[in-house]
Amino acid sequence: MILKELRTSFKIALSGLYPSEEIQSFFNILSEKYLNLSRIEIALNPERVISEEVSEKYQKALLRLKNYEPVQYIIGETEFYGLPFKVNKHTLIPRPETEELVEWIIDTSEFRIQDFGLLDIGTGSGCIAISLAKNLPDSKISALDISDGALKIARKNAEMNKVEVDFFQTDILNTKTLPKKYDVIVSNPPYVRELEKKQMRQNVLNYEPDSALYVKNDDPLLFYRVISQLAKKHLQPNGKLFFEINEYLADELTELLKSEDFKNIEVKKDIFGKNRMIKCNLNEPA
Ligand code: GLN
C-alpha cells in the first residue's frame, strides 16, 4: 500500500462519523507518530510505500476512532503551551482554554520575583505546573492530585520537559492543610455539572476521567469553596488565586470569593468569548 491509498481508505472509514477536516487532522497526527512525517511531508510524498506493520497501526487506531476515543489517548500524547505532554485515561486532555490561563499567570509580571512559590491543585497531566515551571524559571512549583495514575504521568511529563515540580498526592476535599504558603495558588478543578453532560461529545463522556470533570448539580462550586478556604490560610500576603471556571458560573463564583474576603476579583473570557478564568487576591495590594 502507498500513502495516498492509506489516506483514502482512512477517510472513507471515518466519513460520516467526524467532519472531514477532523479526519484529515487525525490522519496527520497519526502519520506524524507512526511515520515521523510532518504535514507538509505527508502532502509531498503520496507514493511513499507503507509497510504491513505500519498499516496495521493505522487499522488499530481506526477501530478506536470509530468508538470515538480521543486521538490524543490513541497516540498517548498531546501538545500544550508548545510543549509535549503524555496523556492517558487517568488525565484530562489539556484544553486550549487552559493555555490562556497559563498565559494570564505568566503575564502577571510581578511573579518574576526570585523563588516565588506556586501550587497547582488537581494537576492531572501536570500541564499547568510544567508549562509555568518552563516559563517562570525562578519559581518553585508544587502540584497535587488525588489520582496516583495522574501523578505518575505528571512526573514523566516534568522529566520529559526537563523541569522540577514537586508533585504530591492529596485529596483536596479531605485535607485541612497544605505544606506551606504560596505566592500563587491555581486550579482547574472539576466544574462540569451533571446536567451539562447532554451537551458533551462522546469522546469526552466515554473516555476522559469523570473525577477530573464532573460535579453535582446541587453543589457545582464545591471545589472552589474548599480551595478558596484553604487558600485563605496558605497564600502569602498579596498572594493570588487563579481558577479556570465554568462559563455559566462566573457570577456565583464571584459572590463566593467575595464572601471569603477575596479582593480584586477579575473574570476573563477565553478565545471563544466565554467566561473561563478568574483571578483574585486576599489583601488589597499595598
Ligand atoms: N473545559 C473542560 C470541558 O469542557 C472541563 C474542565 C474541567 O472540568 N475542569 O470538557
Side-chain angles (χ1 to χ4, degrees):
M1 174 142 28
I2 57 173
L3 187 57
K4 72 175 174 199
E5 292 165 345
L6 179 68
R7 186 169 55 194
T8 306
S9 65
F10 187 88
K11 283 184 177 169
I12 292 171
L14 294 180
S15 71
L17 298 177
Y18 296 95
S20 62
E21 311 80 62
E22 199 166 1
I23 301 177
Q24 182 62 49
S25 147
F26 291 152
F27 189 78
N28 289 340
I29 291 169
L30 294 174
S31 301
E32 195 172 340
K33 177 80 178 172
Y34 299 155
L35 296 168
N36 206 12
L37 292 182
S38 69
R39 259 166 69 166
I40 314 273
E41 287 167 331
I42 297 163
L44 292 178
N45 291 284
E47 310 292 327
R48 182 181 163 131
V49 176
I50 307 296
S51 70
E52 194 57 36
E53 195 191 333
V54 170
S55 152
E56 260 174 41
K57 288 188 183 170
Y58 281 87
Q59 298 317 315
K60 283 193 182 136
L62 263 180
L63 284 179
R64 294 171 73 175
L65 287 169
K66 282 184 181 171
N67 284 320
Y68 296 104
E69 184 167 349
V71 70
Q72 295 91 336
Y73 288 154
I74 298 174
I75 62 166
E77 60 195 38
T78 190
E79 221 185 78
F80 179 86
Y81 214 76
L83 301 169
F85 282 87
K86 292 182 189 299
V87 288
N88 67 14
K89 63 179 189 326
H90 298 292
T91 68
L92 209 64
I93 297 164
R95 309 285 202 264
E97 303 89 284
T98 310
E99 294 181 313
E100 296 184 65
L101 175 66
V102 166
E103 180 95 359
W104 202 20
I105 298 173
I106 293 171
D107 284 351
T108 307
S109 53
E110 68 225 51
F111 296 153
R112 299 184 176 279
I113 51 171
Q114 204 75 27
D115 278 348
F116 102 96
L118 180 145
L119 175 67
D120 173 21
I121 297 179
T123 195
S125 63
C127 63
I128 295 177
I130 292 166
S131 51
L132 287 172
K134 200 80 188 172
N135 286 280
L136 298 170
D138 288 333
S139 56
K140 291 223 176 320
I141 301 209
S142 310
L144 65 85
D145 205 283
I146 188 174
S147 157
D148 282 324
L151 287 168
K152 222 166 145 183
I153 290 285
R155 287 195 177 98
K156 280 191 192 159
N157 283 330
E159 203 178 311
M160 186 165 74
N161 284 297
K162 302 189 173 56
V163 293
E164 277 199 25
V165 174
D166 173 27
F167 290 105
F168 57 99
Q169 200 264 343
T170 295
D171 172 2
I172 199 69
L173 297 182
N174 286 299
T175 188
K176 294 267 172 299
T177 172
L178 296 169
K180 58 173 196 172
K181 287 196 174 202
Y182 303 90
D183 296 287
V184 173
I185 293 180
V186 55
S187 183
N188 174 16
Y191 61 65
V192 180
R193 289 167 295 176
E194 301 277 343
L195 63 89
E196 291 169 64
K197 275 189 173 177
K198 51 181 179 297
Q199 302 166 14
M200 297 178 81
R201 288 172 46 160
Q202 286 200 43
N203 55 352
V204 179
L205 283 172
N206 297 342
Y207 291 95
E208 295 201 87
D210 288 358
S211 61
L213 284 170
Y214 305 114
V215 283
K216 296 211 161 63
N217 296 338
D218 60 4
D219 193 11
L221 297 180
L222 170 65
F223 286 91
Y224 296 87
R225 191 168 60 244
V226 169
I227 293 169
S228 57
Q229 285 165 0
L230 277 166
K232 269 167 88 166
K233 290 192 286 176
H234 292 280
L235 273 176
Q236 297 283 10
N238 287 343
K240 287 193 167 54
L241 179 59
F242 285 83
F243 281 120
E244 184 173 313
I245 66 170
N246 183 318
E247 67 198 80
Y248 304 113
L249 300 174
D251 291 346
E252 288 89 329
L253 180 54
T254 302
E255 285 312 308
L256 184 151
L257 291 168
K258 272 189 199 156
S259 74
E260 294 293 344
D261 257 357
F262 282 91
K263 304 283 187 313
N264 302 316
I265 302 167
E266 195 181 327
V267 176
K268 193 166 149 74
K269 291 189 192 306
D270 64 18
I271 27 163
F272 308 109
K274 297 182 169 167
N275 288 330
R276 186 58 68 203
M277 50 212 120
I278 204 160
K279 145 173 123 171
C280 56
N281 54 262
L282 212 44
N283 306 315
E284 297 283 356

